[in-house]
Each structure stands twice: as C-alpha cells, then as structure tokens.
Amino acid sequence: MLSRRQMIGHGLVAAPFFSADLPCAAAEKTCGLAYGTYGLPGMPLPTAIDLIATTGFNALEITVFPETTGDPSLHIDTKKKIAEIRDRIADSGLRVSALMAHLKPEEEDRKHHEQLEKLRRLVELASALAPAEPPFLQTILGG
C-alpha cells in the first residue's frame, strides 16, 4: 500500500502524461486535472502555483488551514497580496477549483459564530481570487 507521500510523488510524476482535456459527463465540456496545496506543506503559495502549473495540471485547490501553504493570515491577508496571487494564478494558466477549509460544526454559540465569520471571510477570498468564476469552498469535518 502506498503512503500519502508516495502517492503524491507518483501523481506528480504521472501528471504530464494525462491529457489536459479529459472528457466529462457534459459533451461540450472537459474536466481538468487539479492538484491541492495540501500535498505541499510549507511551500510558499507562489512557488506551489508555479510547480502545479509547470507539472501539467489545469487547476489548483488552495488549502486555507492555519499554518498551511494557503493560510490567509500568513500569505493572502491583504488586498495587494490577494491581487498578486490572483495575477500569478492567471499568468500560470491555472484556475482555482476550490479552497479547502477546516471548519467544523460547533454547538456553542460563540464558536459557531466564529466559524460563520471564518466562512464569510473565505467566501470573500474565493471571490477575490477568481471573481469571474469563484471556486468551490470545501470543508472537512473532524479533528
């Protein structure tokens, strides 16, 4: 069985051999191949964008957990930085397919409202990074 690290490594090696125009269910559309920055911990977001683009992917999913490649409080916390990242993504030919967040349901009102505020900021970030076609915002449940 492959470890996650081995799977990512094999995926990066195999990516250039996949067509950029994989057929989707809709006849007129094609699916791209996206890569998430979750697999690139500690890599600066601009470097990750360049790597994902040059490796042959069509899109990227930016992990926006605290202390990750796309942590908004560290890397994309000002309008200027957001514009720089948006321009870099556009220049790379990639699109942002999703932002991956770590929001979990909370019973306590205060924590629930904190999560709602995080969600609001992430929706704004998604719209700022790709105003013409905002990406999905996916969340994970758990620890």
Side-chain angles (χ1 to χ4, degrees):
M1 179 171 203
L2 293 176
S3 70
R4 184 181 306 190
R5 188 174 303 266
Q6 291 168 322
M7 180 76 106
I8 291 168
H10 291 298
L12 287 173
V13 169
F17 299 103
F18 286 99
S19 169
D21 296 322
L22 299 173
C24 277
E28 294 111 32
K29 294 190 175 191
T30 59
C31 288
L33 188 60
Y35 192 85
T37 62
Y38 184 80
L40 304 169
M43 183 177 285
L45 187 52
T47 305
I49 292 166
D50 295 344
L51 175 64
I52 292 168
T54 59
T55 306
F57 291 91
N58 307 91
L60 77 151
E61 173 189 73
I62 301 173
T63 305
V64 292
F65 298 178
E67 300 178 22
T68 62
T69 300
D71 180 349
S73 68
L74 298 176
H75 307 291
I76 37 184
D77 60 342
T78 66
K79 288 182 180 182
K80 181 181 179 195
K81 288 181 184 178
I82 291 170
E84 289 170 355
I85 293 297
R86 181 181 56 239
D87 291 346
R88 189 172 208 121
I89 292 167
D91 292 345
S92 74
L94 295 171
R95 68 178 176 82
V96 181
S97 60
L99 299 183
M100 180 198 277
H102 186 266
L103 302 171
K104 57 184 181 176
E106 295 286 355
E107 290 184 36
E108 186 182 319
D109 277 348
R110 180 187 59 78
K111 289 182 180 180
H112 175 72
H113 287 289
E114 287 173 3
Q115 293 288 12
L116 287 175
E117 179 57 25
K118 279 185 187 177
L119 181 60
R120 184 190 63 74
R121 287 192 312 266
L122 291 173
V123 167
E124 289 175 355
L125 177 60
S127 294
L129 288 173
E133 189 178 351
F136 290 102
L137 179 60
Q138 78 145 331
T139 63
I140 60 168
L141 296 176

